[in-house]
Amino acid sequence: MVSETNLAAEVGFRHVIEDALSVLSKHDIDPDRRSYVLEDLANLLRDASRGADLVNRRLLFVKSDERNAFDTFSLLDRYLGYGIDPNWREKLPDARMAFTQLQKNMEVPEKARATAMALLRDLLTTLERQSGMSIPKHPEEIGIAE
């Protein structure tokens, strides 16, 4: 069973991803929300990249200041690895570049934009699939027999 805290965090994470996909698709969203989403995902992808470097070095232990990077990588690997997208790690640099340039209001190369969108769509699909049992898409009717 999913705890209320985990459920709220998962729903919030899904909304950030959905908003990021809107930004990448060049749709307008509230400027404050846009700034928050871009910063949040830029940090997430930066930490995931650092975590991937730690994993590539095959360290058995990580320093306490590297723990967040390792945890972020592990989270994304849980959602994207295991057959969903075996090459997701290779997409991190382009996805990071897309969000970094969007934060600076710079034009994003189409390859980086497409890579970031594909990565986020895979992530969103997995989140929706895994939470499908805990958050119904439509209200359920319960019939009570008399």
Side-chain angles (χ1 to χ4, degrees):
M1 179 124 194
V2 178
S3 74
E4 287 182 33
T5 304
N6 288 342
L7 184 60
E10 189 173 291
V11 169
F13 190 37
R14 283 178 26 197
H15 285 297
V16 166
I17 294 167
E18 289 167 348
D19 287 347
L21 286 167
S22 292
V23 171
L24 287 165
S25 298
K26 300 180 181 179
H27 296 171
D28 289 331
I29 66 171
D30 178 77
D32 291 334
R33 179 67 181 169
R34 182 183 191 277
S35 176
Y36 170 80
V37 165
L38 293 176
E39 182 178 341
D40 206 37
L41 282 175
N43 290 338
L44 179 92
L45 295 174
R46 183 199 67 232
D47 286 349
S49 293
R50 285 186 17 233
D53 290 341
L54 294 170
V55 169
N56 287 340
R57 290 189 281 162
R58 301 184 194 278
L59 299 175
L60 293 177
F61 300 100
V62 294
K63 299 177 196 172
S64 59
D65 62 335
E66 295 172 326
R67 181 69 189 183
N68 190 50
F70 181 77
D71 289 344
T72 301
F73 169 82
S74 297
L75 172 77
L76 291 183
D77 194 46
R78 184 177 72 213
Y79 287 126
L80 295 170
Y82 307 108
I84 302 300
D85 183 356
N87 301 318
W88 76 269
R89 294 181 197 185
E90 287 79 30
K91 295 178 181 176
L92 282 175
D94 279 344
R96 280 184 62 199
M97 178 178 52
F99 286 106
T100 300
Q101 289 188 298
L102 284 168
Q103 278 185 298
K104 296 176 183 177
N105 292 317
M106 296 174 62
E107 189 61 33
V108 177
E110 199 52 44
K111 178 182 182 267
R113 183 182 300 275
T115 299
M117 289 180 76
L119 191 71
L120 293 181
R121 282 187 185 123
D122 287 344
L123 186 56
L124 185 59
T125 298
T126 304
L127 279 167
E128 288 172 344
R129 186 180 312 134
Q130 288 183 358
S131 67
M133 294 186 340
S134 55
I135 305 174
K137 294 212 182 270
H138 305 287
E140 296 180 24
E141 285 188 35
I142 300 174
I144 300 175
E146 293 182 35

